[in-house]
Amino acid sequence: MISTAAIALVLVVVAAVVAALSLAQVRQVNRRFRMLDEVSRAADEGRTLDETLEAIAAIIVPELADICAIDVLEGDRLRRAAVRAVGPDAAVVEARLRERKLELQEQVASAASRKRQEPRVFELASDDDLREYVSDEEDFEFLRGLRVRSGVTVELRARGRPTGVLTMSVGASGRRFRSADVEFASVLAGRVAL
């Protein structure tokens, strides 16, 4: 037979866990509202488009992602306008990502020109998963070195027309994108697009 004290202890532990989870969720929501506010302020500072997008990428990394790339649609061409990475080799990673062919992003932008696109989520559990996103063996080794575990590519759409693509990924930090992160990425992309 379970004693009343044991039942009371279990109830106290459950209540503490629920309270801790609720507090963590409230903090996360507050951080995300703060990010949206920072993105709006960055856009209002009168910088060039590329400077604004670089400032936005700096807000996203490392708060939400380990790597962020923002690509802008210019006519029928996609141009990488901003890149941000975290880590000791961030400058090297950013330079390589600026030079990299934008295959996935071009697919999203091309499809977005026809109709609104849902975010594309990618999970990289193995080298085979990664090979889907590479152009050659050198590119494979570079991406493998980033240790990306998951990511999301979201179209940027303002006033009903596509303007670019936002790509975020995580891995080195040990995080993974969850459904709530993908939903927030869509909200964030809407703010960035404007």
Side-chain angles (χ1 to χ4, degrees):
M1 176 138 209
I2 299 175
S3 73
T4 305
I7 292 172
L9 179 61
V10 168
L11 290 175
V12 167
V13 169
V14 168
V17 169
V18 168
L21 288 174
S22 296
L23 183 59
Q25 289 172 331
V26 167
R27 286 182 180 152
Q28 181 183 47
V29 167
N30 286 339
R31 280 195 314 270
R32 291 190 173 178
F33 275 121
R34 190 171 49 250
M35 280 182 70
L36 292 173
D37 182 53
E38 289 174 17
V39 166
S40 292
R41 278 190 276 128
D44 291 339
E45 291 180 353
R47 303 176 192 174
T48 67
L49 176 63
D50 287 4
E51 290 170 340
T52 299
L53 295 176
E54 285 289 348
I56 290 170
I59 293 165
I60 294 170
V61 172
E63 179 68 33
L64 183 61
D66 298 335
I67 299 171
C68 174
I70 304 174
D71 307 303
V72 176
L73 195 56
E74 296 175 335
D76 61 349
R77 190 178 141 263
L78 201 59
R79 177 181 64 85
R80 178 132 300 156
V83 178
R84 182 59 65 126
V86 69
D89 298 326
V92 173
V93 169
E94 290 168 5
R96 288 284 304 268
L97 289 172
R98 284 185 191 285
E99 298 167 0
R100 197 165 177 275
K101 184 159 174 39
L102 310 176
E103 292 181 39
L104 175 63
Q105 291 82 2
E106 286 174 350
Q107 291 172 12
V108 170
S110 175
S113 68
R114 294 185 298 277
K115 64 179 183 169
R116 183 169 205 81
Q117 294 296 296
E118 293 298 317
R120 291 195 188 179
V121 179
F122 51 93
E123 291 290 327
L124 304 176
S126 70
D127 285 353
D128 289 337
D129 295 335
L130 181 60
R131 288 205 181 273
E132 182 180 337
Y133 301 100
V134 301
S135 57
D136 57 32
E137 200 59 32
E138 182 181 338
D139 192 37
F140 172 75
E141 290 302 325
F142 167 65
L143 290 181
R144 181 201 234 173
L146 297 178
R147 298 187 343 246
V148 170
R149 297 170 59 164
S150 66
V152 61
T153 297
V154 186
E155 71 172 354
L156 300 176
R157 184 175 286 267
R159 295 172 185 85
R161 68 177 186 85
T163 59
V165 179
L166 169 68
T167 304
M168 299 179 296
S169 62
V170 291
S173 63
R175 297 179 287 184
R176 282 203 181 284
F177 282 128
R178 293 174 171 67
S179 60
D181 299 317
V182 174
E183 289 172 22
F184 179 70
S186 293
V187 171
L188 182 62
R191 186 69 55 98
V192 171
L194 292 174

